[in-house]
Amino acid sequence: MDASAAHAEPVPAVAAALGVDPVRGLDADVVAVRQAESGRNEVDATRPPGLLRAVVEAATEPFLILLIASGIAAVLLGEVRDGLLILGGLIPIVVADAATEFRAERALQALRAASAPRARVRRDGTAQDLPASSLVVGDVVLLRAGDVVPADLRISRSDALLVDRSVLTGESVPERGSVERDPREAALAERRAIAYSGTSVVGGRGEGIVVAIGVATEIGRIAGAVASRGRRRSPLQRELDRLVRIMLVVAVVLIAIVTGLGFARGNPPGENLLAGISAAIAAIPEEPPVLLAVVLGLGAYRLLRRGVLVRRLNAEEVLGAVDLIVTDKTGTLTENRLDVAEVQDVGGAVEGPRQHALLARALRAEDDAWARASGTVAGSFTHALARALATIGEEPLLDPDDLLAAEPVADSHPYSSTTYRTPVGGTESAAFGAPEVVIGLALQPGDPAWAGWRAAVEGATSAGQRVLALARRTDVGPWWVAGLVGFADPLRPGIAEAVEATRAAGIQVVVVTGDHPATATAIAREAGLDPRAVVRGPELAAIADERLAARIEGFAVVARSTPADKRRLVRAARSSGRLVAVTGDGVNDAPALTAADVGVAMGSGTSVAKEAADLVLGDDSFATLVYGIAEGRRIVDNVQKGLVFIVSTHVALLGFLLIATIAGFSQPLLPIQILWLELFIDLSASIAFEREPAEPDVMRRPPRPATRPLLPAGLLGRIAVAGGFSAVAALWLMETHEGSGDHVRWLAYSALVCGQVVRAYANRSLHVPVLALRPNGFLLLAVLAVVVVQATIPFVPPLAEAFRATPLDATDWALVATIALAPAIVAQVGRALRGGDWVA
């Protein structure tokens, strides 16, 4: 039969269509045939890739492909040492990226294996505990409180059955399961005759006939929709792609200039070509991928220490650039549990001893509260009442011997009722459940008190509470209404502060939930969002796609939404150029998680949500997400600083090589000197930028537009001026200083080296004077180490011979210090007096 229509069919018709006797279950031979035909009851989750595949994916970034080609070209042209060093420098990049993704996928695989469910099934007339993966269509499943529903079931028996369907619908309040069929046109969130796979039984007992397994379940259908991940490249990846294109142009120009000058001077053709290729290889900075891999890798480690599993490294830097967070309510902003929010009677809120007594009687009215002594798992309302009483220091002891009668919630009476002995020897009855029915036990619509109680119920409901009424009677006397208990899913600690932090950072937060608008509005108000900016799912669906993107800025909450609404909202925002992060924990969140730029799943959420996400928050805290945003912004800032340093180094180096070659110096720098500057000085200083603390305004500025490059033309121009100064100053030293060729070359080279390490520390911020920043001890140590090594090389014979280094006297060092410090001083003065971005 069609599983999508099972909710609208009576149980006998479903059983007949599936060939099963609900009392006996399926026979073993029928099960074997159906297992062979339909396979296992599993959602075909994406398996983690092998390590080799992860390595191949990491090595196929455009920048790395270009560097691999350059290294191979260097080897083929005889520059074996240069080529091998370039290729060797790529190994840590590939290993770091591949290992991080491989470990994250393996961790999720372990989570999947640990959460594999089991099911109690009736087969051949006998109840058996079996792996849920062995279920087939037509199996009869027995449900108890605490069970996870193993497949989509048509409920065939319900004894006060309560199902938490928040993972699928977003509704935080458990709903009762019903044997009665639903209207055929009922939406998924309104179907009570189906227990969906992955939802949880939180109260009562029941049975159901399997109507769909595996990928045919509602969870399977959603998992299939998120199987293909079509994500665009991150801003930093696009920035590196842009640098590749720029460097290719620079390489071609350098080849033309160097080779042309060689031919003009009559050098042999082979020597000219090798010189041109060597200059082009020097023009391609191999450090940016290393910088990015190290900063993102260590950033992932920092986040892991805060309980955030990073599944895809580039998600960190994208998170720092998002300007819209579309978040689920249940389990993300709230605790995903019911707590007592308010106790009241017709006169208003009830406090003190009267409140305590009313809560105690409400607990006694819950039939599963009495059954806890026998090991029965209590329902969500019982848990909430018990927690409320424990908070005020009371723990009513319910002796099962005092219980005289109990009736659980049923379709005929949507309330639980109990009769029990009182401490003074009499008897008392209590009823606790649906307000309109419980109030009706004592009052009629025409009674004077009826309107007062109805107004109290409506007031609590409008505040987002799930309201139950308590009625009492002694012995066989008349019923009277004792009070109302309002339950709510409480906001997580720190949520209001986290929402305020996102607002200060220029990030919009939109809560998308399947809850009633009153509940959603109450949560919005408590979280600090605009309670007036609430739109319903049907209203959202009526907005045309071309208008939706412009309307999103006016949204704070979308209530009564469907998974399709959430995904459509994300796509509309992205279509207008916004960077979107989506948080969620349920199966219903998975489509939006995959549609977003950054998908953030909760650690306690479903495996489907974790599979779809880029980040997993172990503590489920929205505040941790805000920490991740700040960390992402710090990462992007530090990558920018590292890129500024690296590019300025290459500008100084290549500018010096070019103008020195034009000036007639045949070998202005030795290959080992170039390698020392690039592979040790650049890497040690740029990697030290990872330790750079966040700037003071990191969460008080708007997100960086996704279309704005990290190194825009204006900044590249200032980098060219700063690096060009170093190049010209170094050439001036070679032209004007007396001494041997090796000595003046070492002097000019020392000016380049010291200028770069000073530039590294001076560019810790591009717009804040360095003296106003917190110290970066690691970077300072790296700077001092490079200067000390540079001064020591001439005094170590093997190194002095390799570098052709000669000692510098005090006058030489004064010149080096002046050239190194001058750009930094100018930049610091400019930042202090005029503001803006200044490059040292």
Side-chain angles (χ1 to χ4, degrees):
M1 69 171 298
D2 183 4
S4 63
H7 66 282
E9 299 294 335
V11 172
V14 173
L18 299 179
V20 61
D21 177 2
V23 176
R24 177 176 173 80
L26 293 175
D27 293 334
D29 54 346
V30 175
V31 171
V33 172
R34 294 188 181 184
Q35 285 178 338
E37 292 175 346
S38 58
R40 298 174 66 82
N41 176 33
E42 292 179 337
V43 175
D44 188 18
T46 302
R47 300 301 178 186
L51 186 57
L52 179 60
R53 177 183 164 191
V55 169
V56 171
E57 289 181 353
T60 52
E61 287 292 320
F63 221 124
L64 294 182
I65 292 175
L66 181 59
L67 289 172
I68 292 171
S70 300
I72 294 173
V75 172
L76 294 177
L77 291 169
E79 297 286 341
V80 177
R81 180 172 58 185
D82 291 15
L84 292 180
L85 283 172
I86 291 173
L87 294 173
L90 301 180
I91 293 176
I93 307 172
V94 175
V95 169
D97 195 2
T100 300
E101 183 134 347
F102 183 74
R103 284 198 305 268
E105 293 288 355
R106 288 294 177 186
L108 285 170
Q109 173 67 1
L111 287 174
R112 284 195 296 267
S115 60
R118 295 181 66 82
R120 189 161 182 79
V121 186
R122 183 183 294 125
R123 289 179 180 170
D124 293 320
T126 304
Q128 311 170 40
D129 285 316
L130 301 172
S133 60
S134 67
L135 292 181
V136 298
V137 172
D139 262 326
V140 177
V141 176
L142 313 183
L143 298 174
R144 300 160 295 185
D147 287 348
V148 174
V149 180
D152 285 358
L153 311 177
R154 174 61 170 93
I155 297 174
S156 57
R157 178 182 174 185
S158 175
D159 296 328
L161 183 66
L162 280 177
V163 181
D164 178 357
R165 305 191 299 169
S166 59
V167 298
L168 191 60
T169 66
E171 292 279 4
S172 59
V173 178
E175 298 286 355
R176 60 187 179 87
S178 175
V179 176
E180 299 301 320
R181 58 183 176 176
D182 298 310
R184 188 170 298 275
E185 66 278 5
L188 185 145
E190 298 171 351
R191 297 175 187 175
R192 304 291 178 263
I194 300 291
Y196 287 101
S197 176
T199 59
S200 302
V201 179
V202 297
R205 295 167 295 279
E207 296 181 8
I209 301 172
V210 176
V211 295
I213 64 170
V215 295
T217 63
E218 191 66 24
I219 280 184
R221 185 187 63 78
I222 295 175
V226 305
S228 57
R229 305 176 56 87
R231 295 189 182 274
R232 56 187 179 185
R233 294 177 68 75
S234 72
L236 282 187
Q237 287 176 317
R238 294 198 298 271
E239 184 75 1
L240 291 185
D241 292 345
R242 174 173 169 266
L243 283 177
V244 168
R245 293 191 294 269
I246 293 174
M247 290 302 120
L248 278 174
V249 173
V250 172
V252 171
V253 172
L254 278 176
I255 290 174
I257 293 175
V258 174
T259 305
L261 285 174
F263 279 114
R265 291 169 179 165
N267 296 333
E271 180 179 332
N272 293 336
L273 183 61
L274 183 61
I277 294 295
S278 298
I281 293 173
I284 301 172
E286 59 275 358
E287 303 92 344
V290 178
L291 171 70
L292 189 58
V294 169
V295 172
L296 292 181
L298 292 179
Y301 174 71
R302 289 173 184 267
L303 288 172
L304 186 61
R305 292 173 62 184
R306 287 288 297 264
V308 182
L309 173 65
V310 179
R311 297 190 62 211
R312 294 172 182 83
L313 283 179
N314 64 9
E316 299 171 63
E317 50 104 354
V318 181
L319 187 62
V322 299
D323 58 11
L324 173 64
I325 299 175
V326 178
T327 178
D328 184 32
K329 177 188 73 69
T330 305
T332 306
L333 298 182
T334 65
E335 297 278 6
N336 194 19
R337 75 178 192 202
L338 288 181
D339 275 349
V340 173
E342 187 178 25
V343 179
Q344 60 180 315
D345 59 18
V346 73
V350 175
E351 303 289 346
R354 286 184 59 218
Q355 181 197 75
H356 307 167
L358 198 150
L359 288 174
R361 286 194 169 92
L363 183 65
R364 292 190 183 99
E366 287 277 281
D367 68 304
D368 59 352
W370 297 85
R372 285 184 298 172
S374 62
T376 299
V377 178
S380 54
F381 295 120
T382 295
H383 278 303
L385 292 167
R387 277 196 302 270
L389 288 166
T391 300
I392 59 180
E394 294 190 12
E395 184 67 31
L397 300 177
L398 304 182
D399 187 345
D401 291 338
D402 289 337
L403 181 64
L404 302 177
E407 288 189 67
V409 175
D411 292 341
S412 59
H413 53 92
Y415 57 84
S416 174
S417 64
T418 59
T419 302
Y420 46 87
R421 295 187 182 92
T422 63
V424 296
T427 62
E428 183 175 292
S429 297
F432 190 60
E436 64 277 6
V437 179
V438 172
I439 294 173
L441 294 176
L443 301 172
Q444 297 301 316
D447 292 340
W450 175 269
W453 284 110
R454 289 304 305 161
V457 171
E458 291 171 1
T461 302
S462 65
Q465 298 176 18
R466 172 71 179 268
V467 183
L468 299 184
L470 173 69
R472 297 172 51 203
R473 68 176 178 180
T474 56
D475 298 323
V476 292
W479 289 96
W480 76 91
V481 184
L484 304 175
V485 181
F487 298 87
D489 186 3
L491 204 68
R492 287 183 176 274
I495 293 300
E497 294 80 3
V499 170
E500 177 57 34
T502 60
R503 183 181 295 110
I507 302 170
Q508 180 187 2
V509 177
V510 177
V511 180
V512 180
T513 175
D515 276 349
H516 190 278
T519 304
T521 301
I523 287 295
R525 183 182 297 106
E526 192 176 354
L529 297 170
D530 186 356
R532 299 167 298 177
V534 178
V535 63
R536 294 168 58 93
E539 297 170 353
L540 184 73
I543 301 174
D545 289 343
E546 58 272 15
R547 296 177 53 226
L548 181 57
R551 294 280 301 276
I552 291 174
E553 290 186 5
F555 296 166
V557 177
V558 180
R560 285 300 187 203
S561 68
T562 66
D565 293 332
K566 193 171 187 179
R567 192 175 190 182
R568 181 169 173 255
L569 195 69
V570 172
R571 287 181 167 175
R574 287 186 62 187
S575 70
S576 63
R578 303 186 69 173
L579 283 178
V580 185
V582 168
T583 70
D585 58 356
V587 175
N588 59 317
D589 296 311
L593 288 169
T594 56
D597 295 283
V598 184
V600 185
M602 303 297 113
S604 62
T606 63
S607 59
V608 174
K610 293 172 187 174
E611 291 288 350
D614 302 295
L615 305 175
V616 180
L617 301 183
D619 62 358
D620 295 2
S621 173
F622 192 84
T624 301
L625 173 62
V626 174
Y627 168 82
I629 291 173
E631 180 69 8
R633 291 189 174 192
R634 185 190 71 86
I635 285 173
V636 173
D637 284 350
N638 290 349
V639 170
Q640 182 189 44
K641 297 167 190 175
L643 287 177
V644 167
F645 171 68
I646 290 169
V647 174
S648 67
T649 297
H650 281 266
V651 168
L653 175 62
L654 294 174
F656 175 74
L657 288 174
L658 183 59
I659 61 178
T661 301
I662 294 173
F665 289 92
S666 60
Q667 197 173 25
L669 289 179
L670 299 176
I672 191 171
Q673 292 173 339
I674 297 174
L675 292 172
W676 161 254
L677 184 62
E678 288 192 348
L679 293 182
F680 179 77
I681 297 175
D682 273 12
L683 289 181
S684 61
S686 62
I687 289 174
F689 278 116
E690 195 284 326
R691 301 290 296 271
E692 186 65 30
E695 296 197 19
D697 66 341
V698 69
M699 290 297 284
R700 295 197 302 271
R701 63 182 189 231
R704 183 177 66 89
T707 56
R708 189 178 74 194
L710 278 179
L711 303 180
L715 184 57
L716 284 174
R718 289 188 284 274
I719 292 172
V721 170
F725 170 83
S726 296
V728 172
L731 180 63
W732 174 78
L733 287 178
M734 290 189 70
E735 290 278 13
T736 60
H737 207 73
E738 296 181 355
S740 66
D742 284 346
H743 182 74
V744 296
R745 178 167 52 207
W746 182 253
L747 175 62
Y749 177 66
S750 296
L752 289 173
V753 169
C754 293
Q756 287 312 112
V757 295
V758 170
R759 181 173 288 117
Y761 201 82
N763 286 335
R764 291 179 53 211
S765 172
L766 300 182
H767 56 277
V768 177
V770 69
L771 296 179
L773 300 173
R774 287 188 296 163
N776 182 341
F778 192 84
L779 180 56
L780 181 60
L781 182 63
V783 168
L784 294 176
V786 168
V787 174
V788 169
V789 171
Q790 186 71 19
T792 304
I793 286 176
F795 300 99
V796 180
L799 294 178
E801 182 180 354
F803 281 88
R804 297 186 191 178
T806 58
L808 303 181
D809 59 25
T811 302
D812 294 336
W813 278 113
L815 289 170
V816 168
T818 300
I819 293 173
L821 291 172
I825 293 173
V826 171
Q828 301 311 309
V829 173
R831 292 168 189 164
L833 297 180
R834 300 184 60 185
D837 290 345
W838 288 74
V839 177

